[in-house]
Amino acid sequence: MTEHEQQTTETGDDLPEQMKIRRAKRAELLESGKEPYPLGYRRTHTLAELRERFAELEPGESSGVTASTTGRVIFLREAGKLCFARLREGDGTEFQVMLSQGKLGKESLDEWKHLVDIGDHIGVTGEVVASRRGELSVMADEWAVTSKALRPLPVAHKPLAEETRVRQRYVDLIVRPEARDNARNRAAVIRSLRDQLHGQDFVEVETPMMQVQPGGATARPFVTHMNAYDMDLYLRIAPELYLKRCVVGGIDRVFEINRNFRNEGADSSHSPEFAMLEAYRTYGDYRTIAELTKSLVQGSAESVFGSTAVTLADGSAYDLGGEWAETTLFGSLSEALGEEVTVDTQLDTLRAYADKVDLDVDPLWGPGKLAEELFEHLVVDKLDAPTFVFDYPEETSPLTRGHRATPGLTEKWDLYARGFELATGYSELVDPVVQRERLEAQARLAAGGDDEAMRVDEDFLRAMEYGMPPLCGMGMGIDRLLMALTGLGIRETILFPLVKPE
RNA sequence: GGGCCGCUAGCUCAAUUGGCAGAGCUGCGGACUUUUAAUCCGUAGGUUCAGGGUUCGAGUCCCUGGCGGCCCA
């Protein structure tokens, strides 16, 4: 609420006319002995139950059954001594109410006309009938306001401005069926992921979101402060190091679905807080976990949308079915450049290529990082169909096992879909001595001013020294998965994305 | 971080060279016992994002700031 509104709420003097009128109607309800916000309403049927039970009623027919039901008024019509209202309940089911002077008497119908607005919640009791046009209706013997809305809803027939949708999601949810579908689809996808993982004996855990030391990814963390210990804490950037501790402890298949926080930019595909699935299982490699990832994505598409061929928000078709394309980082980059590039290609050579394709180069980047940047610059946009990109340089993958065949590479893949990164997976590094070397190298980068570099997590290394079994793991952005399945922007897949204050 | 565009009534949007700030829907009053974006009559509603400047006169031009969108990095 703005300062301006706060002032005027008390006096009511300066409010827009329509809000003043609704406040006056609330007062009138109270004056006439009616409660504008009663404890409830004695309901015998939900709107959905009425729809189902009386589906067979013919136009003009009366059921002889009296029902009490409730909903938000989304449409009002007066036709003299007969009024109509359309109610809607939470799942989107709508049902008509008819109010006639014959049933209610003049006084009650006049009060209805005068005091009830679109947006109000009401309860109504009467016979279930079908109108002459065949519309199922409750013919009211009695009605009551159950919650008076003090603000008018936006006009139903004009799309709400994008910013209003995001800032006032509650309004978006009221007026736009797609907004309600999005929220329910997201819940269904997450539930499907959980069900599939539980079905394969994965154990769901919750690991710390406030950490003494951030780790598990290269990203800038948010910092907060704990008063009791007078120490800084970090919001986690990834759950990886804790999930691996679980594996050391004997949870052979483990996953977590929860929020990560990265103190970086916010745009149409990045949110500073984002939901992520991470899953680890022993005695598998990056092929094993790629297969699991594919089955999870295809399984949630099947269970939520009925098919691996989904329809995106713009109406286009997107096929996630069957086997997915595979390439390698250096293979696809070589193809895009028209020059052979490998993990052994020298930094100077890569810099020359970067110059040729107008990519600005950070002088701190090594050859591995630069190769990845070139790949993102030249290849990523073109990866529309789901594609696994295998074998990343060791330089940028400090938690990943070295490649079994090619020195300098690691057994890592990224999964791309519709031009963005959807998931990543690894044959995990389980050698504590090599892990220490890698983390110490990262720590040197951090000391040199790289605020995304990892730190040495001694407790994590101690856990590894107790013996971490052969292991593969994956991470997948839940928001990204929803984007891939629906074609929505990230601000539509998250109910309340971070926005600057008005 | 850079460039471009936008911010006007409850909502969605107009407003010519700088010359009385408008429409549709919504609201309010009235008519109508089968409406469902009804129809008809009447009517109200504005800190034009904020602050400053130029001007006889600023929604419009200039400056600063806020919020947002798109493109680029």
Side-chain angles (χ1 to χ4, degrees):
Chain A
M1 184 181 287
T2 65
E3 199 173 311
H4 174 72
E5 276 179 288
Q6 214 146 25
Q7 276 175 1
T8 54
T9 304
E10 284 156 31
T11 63
D13 285 346
D14 235 17
L15 283 173
E17 187 192 28
Q18 293 190 40
M19 291 191 214
K20 275 195 255 189
I21 288 164
R22 285 174 179 243
R23 276 166 176 72
K25 288 176 177 177
R26 172 187 176 278
E28 278 184 63
L29 281 166
L30 283 168
E31 280 161 25
S32 66
K34 295 186 170 66
E35 174 56 61
Y37 303 98
L39 198 50
Y41 189 81
R42 187 182 42 79
R43 177 169 72 175
T44 60
H45 299 74
T46 65
L47 301 183
E49 285 164 356
L50 289 177
R51 276 235 165 273
E52 168 149 17
R53 176 159 169 203
F54 296 98
E56 307 299 317
L57 223 50
E58 298 292 328
E61 196 181 348
S62 301
S63 68
V65 177
T66 295
S68 293
T69 194
T70 61
R72 185 194 290 273
V73 176
I74 56 162
F75 177 82
L76 282 173
R77 175 75 61 234
E78 289 178 28
K81 299 185 180 62
L82 181 66
C83 294
F84 301 86
R86 177 156 287 266
L87 303 187
R88 187 171 62 217
E89 65 191 7
D91 68 355
T93 305
E94 299 180 0
F95 205 88
Q96 179 164 274
V97 176
M98 297 166 74
L99 305 100
S100 75
Q101 187 161 309
K103 289 275 185 191
L104 288 171
K106 184 168 192 323
E107 193 185 340
S108 175
L109 189 65
D110 283 348
E111 272 195 320
W112 167 271
K113 290 183 195 174
H114 182 56
L115 295 176
V116 175
D117 292 302
I118 289 174
D120 295 353
H121 290 269
I122 66 155
V124 64
T125 300
E127 187 181 4
V128 181
V129 303
S131 73
R132 280 180 209 166
R133 299 274 179 94
E135 185 78 48
L136 274 181
S137 312
V138 172
M139 179 61 84
D141 293 318
E142 174 205 301
W143 62 270
V145 170
T146 56
S147 183
K148 180 71 196 163
L150 296 185
R151 286 176 185 265
L153 288 177
V155 174
H157 310 288
K158 290 281 185 184
L160 214 49
E162 148 81 18
E163 194 185 344
T164 312
R165 284 199 219 165
V166 170
R167 284 189 188 275
Q168 295 179 247
R169 186 69 80 193
Y170 37 91
V171 176
D172 188 33
L173 288 164
I174 292 169
V175 302
R176 202 166 57 95
E178 294 83 358
R180 299 194 288 274
D181 291 344
N182 293 344
R184 286 181 157 79
N185 285 340
R186 181 185 174 106
V189 164
I190 291 172
R191 179 176 179 164
S192 169
L193 293 172
R194 284 207 164 94
D195 287 349
Q196 293 180 73
L197 287 161
H198 288 146
Q200 297 184 45
D201 297 326
F202 280 79
V203 176
E204 180 169 12
V205 298
E206 289 159 275
T207 65
M209 298 180 93
M210 300 176 78
Q211 301 179 347
V212 172
Q213 192 171 21
T218 50
R220 282 173 72 176
F222 285 93
V223 188
T224 186
H225 188 79
M226 181 177 178
N227 291 334
Y229 295 173
D230 189 22
M231 67 186 292
D232 284 343
L233 293 174
Y234 300 89
L235 301 190
R236 75 172 183 196
I237 54 176
E240 174 160 354
L241 302 187
Y242 282 95
L243 293 175
K244 285 180 167 173
R245 286 170 168 90
C246 292
V247 175
V248 168
I251 307 179
D252 292 336
R253 296 185 175 204
V254 66
F255 77 99
E256 178 165 9
I257 295 177
N258 224 318
R259 229 76 62 79
N260 292 333
F261 307 87
R262 296 187 183 176
N263 204 344
E264 292 163 0
D267 61 34
S268 57
S269 62
H270 294 79
S271 171
E273 61 174 318
F274 60 99
M276 190 157 176
L277 162 67
E278 281 202 13
Y280 294 84
R281 53 157 293 184
T282 57
Y283 291 97
D285 63 13
Y286 68 158
R287 284 277 168 188
T288 318
I289 205 75
E291 200 51 44
L292 174 69
T293 303
K294 179 161 77 81
S295 72
L296 286 172
V297 171
Q298 292 181 339
S300 48
E302 289 273 5
S303 79
V304 177
F305 300 101
S307 167
T308 53
V310 295
T311 303
L312 302 182
D314 65 1
S316 64
Y318 189 67
D319 190 1
L320 292 145
E323 292 303 311
W324 288 350
E326 294 185 6
T327 183
T328 62
L329 178 78
F330 284 101
S332 61
L333 180 56
S334 298
E335 198 179 320
L337 279 171
E339 305 272 0
E340 181 70 11
V341 179
T342 72
V343 69
D344 296 320
T345 303
Q346 295 300 304
L347 186 58
D348 287 347
T349 312
L350 291 170
R351 281 183 173 160
Y353 292 147
D355 193 48
K356 206 160 71 179
V357 299
D358 289 328
L359 175 67
D360 289 339
V361 177
D362 185 326
L364 293 174
W365 292 347
K369 174 69 174 168
L370 180 49
E372 270 197 54
E373 292 286 338
L374 278 165
F375 167 79
E376 286 178 22
H377 186 68
L378 294 172
V379 183
V380 163
D381 287 350
K382 299 180 181 69
L383 299 177
D384 185 58
T387 305
F388 285 112
V389 179
F390 285 91
D391 299 341
Y392 279 66
E394 189 179 289
E395 180 188 327
T396 56
S397 309
L399 302 170
T400 308
R401 176 186 287 269
H403 196 276
R404 63 191 80 179
T406 312
L409 289 180
T410 58
E411 300 209 345
K412 166 187 168 172
W413 51 258
D414 272 357
L415 170 63
Y416 284 86
R418 300 190 50 243
F420 57 80
E421 186 186 338
L422 177 56
T424 182
Y426 315 91
S427 302
E428 301 292 350
L429 177 59
V430 297
D431 180 337
V433 174
V434 175
Q435 182 68 87
R436 178 177 291 280
E437 290 166 3
R438 298 263 192 92
L439 287 181
E440 284 175 349
Q442 284 284 309
R444 283 192 293 276
L445 291 177
D450 183 344
D451 46 17
E452 290 189 356
M454 298 185 194
R455 327 290 157 87
V456 179
D457 184 332
E458 287 294 344
D459 179 69
F460 173 64
L461 289 169
R462 178 167 65 186
M464 284 186 77
E465 287 166 5
Y466 280 96
M468 185 184 287
L471 184 69
C472 58
M474 63 83 84
M476 178 161 60
I478 300 290
D479 316 295
R480 296 285 183 90
L481 176 58
L482 265 295
M483 289 165 66
L485 292 173
T486 62
L488 297 169
I490 200 165
R491 280 150 60 94
E492 303 287 333
T493 69
I494 298 175
L495 270 174
F496 300 103
L498 184 72
V499 284
K500 287 196 191 178
E502 288 169 78

